[in-house]
Amino acid sequence: MKLYFLLHQCVFLVHSYFYLHQCRSWASMIVKLIFGSLWCLVHLVISLFGLLSHLRNNLECYLISFKLLPKYENLLLERLQYLGIVVDSGEAKNALKVKQLLHWFSTLGIKYLVLYDIEGVLKELLQPGIEASRDENPRNSLDVFAETKASMCSREGMLIECLSGCDGKEAIAKAANLLYSACCNSGKSCKFVFTEADMTNVLKVLGSGGPEPDLLLVYGPGRCHLGFPAWRLRYTEIMYMGSLESMKYGSVLKALYQFQHKYQNYGK
């Protein structure tokens, strides 16, 4: 009897263990299901907000393009002396889009434009205009462009400066080498400290100075300036415009309107 009782207790304990383990498994599954459902719900809500924001922005851009929103019609561009445009090199190969964008800016009355892509695609696109402008020497029309040796051309009443990646990394490397050589040739044994003013002056000597854009519009897949010379972005307002393939005239007007009403308590 005792042996039977012990066997019965063992069987009971085994059944109890499996029962508790099954209960814990069910509880764990229920918790995972609840948290998974909550994650999906949050993800769905965020996606819906993103979709609604995208649709709202597209609708607003179309309304602006068709001149149905009067506040975007009369833009005051006195603050916008220099406009910078950054385009992803892959998208810059679409010449029709680039020319359409330049035509829009010319229509809006933009006078001075700084174009940049890291691989120099825009330079190649505007090469005929650059070569034609070398004889005309358009820099004489604006003294501030005398600080840069970048490729320049005149198009549709705009003075356009074309930059590429070599105007960024290579320029800063040459400036650092020149400062180092000057330090070595000075014969001073004390430690030489480079300041921002020293670097700025050397960049101007090398022809990598030039004006700082008041506004920089970025076209491409990433929300970054894609290597635009950083020393010319100290007080620049940067706006991401999305892909060049999906550019809209209304989005350009909206960006200029937002810049017009943006308060800046620093810089110029």
Side-chain angles (χ1 to χ4, degrees):
M1 288 293 291
K2 289 183 178 180
L3 181 61
Y4 175 76
F5 180 75
L6 289 173
L7 289 174
H8 181 74
Q9 289 295 327
C10 289
V11 171
F12 176 76
L13 290 174
V14 170
H15 280 289
S16 299
Y17 171 78
F18 281 108
Y19 176 74
L20 291 174
H21 181 72
Q22 187 176 11
C23 289
R24 290 177 181 175
S25 298
W26 278 105
S28 177
M29 290 177 62
I30 292 173
V31 171
K32 289 181 179 179
L33 181 62
I34 292 173
F35 279 107
S37 300
L38 288 175
W39 170 254
C40 292
L41 181 61
V42 171
H43 185 72
L44 179 61
V45 170
I46 294 175
S47 299
L48 287 175
F49 272 110
L51 178 61
L52 291 175
S53 177
H54 180 70
L55 292 176
R56 177 181 175 276
N57 181 66
N58 285 343
L59 178 60
E60 187 177 15
C61 289
Y62 282 119
L63 292 176
I64 295 172
S65 299
F66 289 108
K67 299 182 179 180
L68 297 178
L69 297 178
K71 68 178 182 179
Y72 293 100
E73 291 185 13
N74 298 319
L75 295 176
L76 302 176
L77 302 178
E78 288 82 2
R79 290 176 56 199
L80 188 59
Q81 297 183 17
Y82 310 107
L83 175 64
I85 304 296
V86 172
V87 183
D88 177 73
S89 294
E91 298 183 359
K93 296 176 182 178
N94 191 335
L96 292 177
K97 290 288 186 179
V98 173
K99 291 178 180 179
Q100 180 66 59
L101 190 63
L102 295 179
H103 178 69
W104 287 347
F105 290 130
S106 174
T107 303
L108 291 171
I110 302 297
K111 298 299 181 183
Y112 309 110
L113 198 63
V114 182
L115 292 180
Y116 171 86
D117 77 284
I118 195 167
E119 295 180 7
V121 176
L122 295 175
K123 280 186 180 181
E124 295 178 2
L125 177 63
L126 299 176
Q127 189 64 33
I130 293 171
E131 293 177 352
S133 298
R134 284 173 182 168
D135 298 330
E136 300 174 5
N137 194 14
R139 292 187 181 87
N140 292 336
S141 62
L142 191 65
D143 293 337
V144 71
F145 277 107
E147 298 175 353
T148 178
K149 296 180 182 178
S151 301
M152 300 185 65
C153 68
S154 180
R155 183 187 182 93
E156 297 187 32
M158 295 186 297
L159 189 60
I160 302 176
E161 178 187 5
C162 297
L163 301 174
S164 62
C166 63
D167 299 304
K169 293 181 179 179
E170 292 184 11
I172 204 70
K174 289 179 181 178
N177 287 333
L178 188 58
L179 283 173
Y180 179 74
S181 300
C183 176
C184 293
N185 296 331
S186 64
K188 296 180 180 179
S189 58
C190 60
K191 186 176 179 181
F192 190 81
V193 178
F194 300 142
T195 63
E196 182 179 351
D198 295 329
M199 184 63 73
T200 301
N201 292 332
V202 173
L203 287 169
K204 290 179 180 179
V205 170
L206 294 173
S208 298
E212 299 179 19
D214 301 292
L215 174 64
L216 188 73
L217 303 181
V218 180
Y219 289 91
R223 292 177 176 268
C224 60
H225 58 72
L226 300 175
F228 190 96
W231 57 91
R232 296 179 62 175
L233 295 176
R234 290 177 296 179
Y235 302 110
T236 300
E237 192 74 29
I238 302 177
M239 293 187 185
Y240 176 68
M241 303 296 289
S243 173
L244 187 69
E245 300 293 329
S246 59
M247 69 177 191
K248 302 177 184 63
Y249 182 65
S251 64
V252 172
L253 290 177
K254 184 178 179 181
L256 298 180
Y257 177 82
Q258 290 176 346
F259 174 76
Q260 172 186 325
H261 291 82
K262 192 173 290 294
Y263 174 74
Q264 293 176 315
N265 58 352
Y266 54 88
K268 292 176 282 188

